Amino acid sequence: MKRAIALALALCLLLSFSSLLIAKPRKTIPRLQPVTFEPLQSRVDSRLQRQLDKELAANPQWAKLVRERKMAVGLVDLADPNGPRFAAINGDRMMYAASLPKIAILLAGFAAFEDGSLKETKEIYEDLHAMIRVSSNTAATRMIDRLGFQKIEQVLTDPRFKFFDPAHGGGLWVGKRYAKSGARHPDPLQGLSHAATANQVCRFYYMLAAGKILNPRRSAQMLEILADPGLHHKFVGVIEKRDPEARLFRKSGTWKQWHSDSVLVWGGEERRYILVGLVENEQGEQILRDLVPTVENLVVVAAKKPLTRTARAH
């Protein structure tokens, strides 16, 4: 009897080990490698734009927020690497985004690594991970103190990136430590201390996925820090239930009535997209959760059509 039990246990262990060997390897990072890379603004898709407009207009609460410019959405369909499709609503509307602009600190940190103004250390990498994955304000403040606001602004306005561009509504901005103390360095357009636009956040993920921020190696490193979020609310909580196997690269933010989220979803060939949402409303958390199935109907379920470039994201 004991021998039979031992044999059964050994067989179970063997089967478990075999299943690990034949399991599909988990995707590490997105590799968007089109034949010809084009800027995101040239990938606006008129059909996707009409569909997104229609879906948001069908919800009275969302439609009101859109009219009042208190809700902004950006969507990039990455299913076809040679034909990304982009659409946005209030895409150039700069809004207070709480912790979401910590992605700007991440970028500035890696830019400083590249130019030698900041030394790569274990402590700094630990702060970068904590700042992004669990949104540590303490770690973000330490990074701001290491870099300085002048360096962050210099990187955001760098012609290579233009993640803050006054000609297109502004964009990403970090002008205050994530702490009670410290001076403010508000953005020059709206006077916000932590801000973002849906368009610029979409561009950030799009360029990372294509390896176009700094260089492919640095882009991959930044994506790894953005991967596997430690907070499972807003977009993430919904997407994880819809596709547990998809890998998520994400940064969100919340303060009082301001709610924001951004995610690069890398699942199967159909579930590959970027979604950004900025909402000023007490119910913003739920609004962002409800936005996920709405946009997935457009980029996962709906049939794809050839790119049309006659429309402009607005």
Side-chain angles (χ1 to χ4, degrees):
M1 183 68 176
K2 291 182 178 179
R3 184 180 179 184
I5 294 173
L7 286 172
L9 288 172
L11 180 60
C12 289
L13 289 172
L14 179 61
L15 289 173
S16 298
F17 182 67
S18 299
S19 66
L20 289 173
L21 290 177
I22 63 175
K24 294 182 180 179
R26 189 180 187 191
K27 294 183 179 69
T28 54
I29 60 170
R31 296 191 181 278
L32 182 64
Q33 297 176 323
V35 174
T36 303
F37 177 82
E38 296 183 19
L40 188 58
Q41 282 298 122
S42 69
R43 307 305 305 188
V44 175
D45 183 86
S46 61
R47 179 172 181 264
L48 185 61
Q49 184 67 56
R50 289 193 301 270
Q51 291 175 324
L52 186 61
D53 288 339
K54 181 179 179 181
E55 290 295 332
L56 267 67
N59 183 307
Q61 182 189 29
W62 298 1
K64 183 175 185 292
L65 289 171
V66 167
R67 288 194 305 271
E68 295 174 348
R69 293 171 64 78
K70 292 184 177 181
M71 182 174 182
V73 178
L75 176 62
V76 187
D77 181 4
L78 300 174
D80 179 2
N82 291 311
R85 304 188 306 148
F86 174 47
I89 293 176
N90 287 330
D92 282 342
R93 168 66 169 169
M94 191 162 63
M95 299 175 63
Y96 183 78
S99 288
L100 192 157
K102 289 174 183 175
I103 60 176
I105 305 172
L106 177 69
L107 170 61
F110 274 87
F113 292 159
E114 281 292 286
D115 65 26
S117 60
L118 185 65
K119 184 178 179 181
E120 297 178 61
T121 67
K122 177 184 177 183
E123 290 74 20
I124 287 178
Y125 273 102
E126 287 176 348
D127 276 347
L128 290 173
H129 279 83
M131 176 182 75
I132 297 298
R133 286 203 171 123
V134 296
S135 202
S136 167
N137 286 339
T138 304
T141 296
R142 282 196 294 264
M143 286 304 305
I144 290 171
D145 291 344
R146 291 180 182 117
L147 293 163
F149 291 112
Q150 184 177 356
K151 178 65 176 182
I152 295 171
E153 180 180 351
Q154 175 192 335
V155 172
L156 292 176
T157 58
D158 189 312
R160 294 176 296 170
F161 314 127
K162 290 188 176 180
F163 286 124
F164 184 86
D165 185 355
H168 294 92
L172 286 167
W173 189 267
V174 175
K176 187 182 182 301
R177 301 164 85 236
Y178 283 90
K180 293 182 179 180
S181 63
R184 291 181 70 246
H185 300 267
D187 81 89
L189 296 183
Q190 294 191 31
L192 299 173
S193 54
H194 303 129
T197 65
N199 283 2
Q200 293 288 22
V201 179
C202 282
R203 284 186 64 241
F204 178 81
Y205 285 101
Y206 176 69
M207 292 175 68
L208 276 183
K212 297 295 183 180
I213 294 186
L214 296 172
N215 55 57
R217 182 174 72 91
R218 292 303 194 185
S219 290
Q221 287 179 305
M222 283 185 271
L223 279 169
E224 283 294 353
I225 291 174
L226 287 157
D228 308 323
L231 303 176
H232 301 270
H233 57 358
K234 300 177 188 171
F235 290 165
V236 170
V238 180
I239 298 169
E240 285 178 333
K241 290 181 180 179
R242 296 172 74 89
D243 188 352
E245 299 302 315
R247 199 168 191 206
L248 308 182
F249 305 80
R250 184 270 193 117
K251 188 70 198 80
S252 66
T254 298
W255 189 69
K256 295 185 178 180
Q257 73 267 32
W258 289 277
H259 300 263
S260 59
D261 208 350
S262 62
V263 66
L264 165 57
V265 181
W266 201 254
E269 291 184 359
E270 292 183 351
R271 185 174 269 104
R272 293 181 178 180
Y273 64 88
I274 296 164
L275 177 60
V276 177
L278 307 170
V279 180
E280 181 186 345
N281 186 269
E282 291 79 4
Q283 299 176 22
E285 161 86 23
Q286 188 61 48
I287 291 170
L288 291 171
R289 292 178 63 85
D290 293 342
L291 190 60
V292 172
T294 298
V295 302
E296 286 211 345
N297 285 336
L298 305 182
V299 298
V300 178
V301 178
K304 306 296 188 294
K305 291 285 184 76
L307 183 71
T308 303
R309 304 189 190 185
T310 57
R312 293 185 62 191
H314 57 282

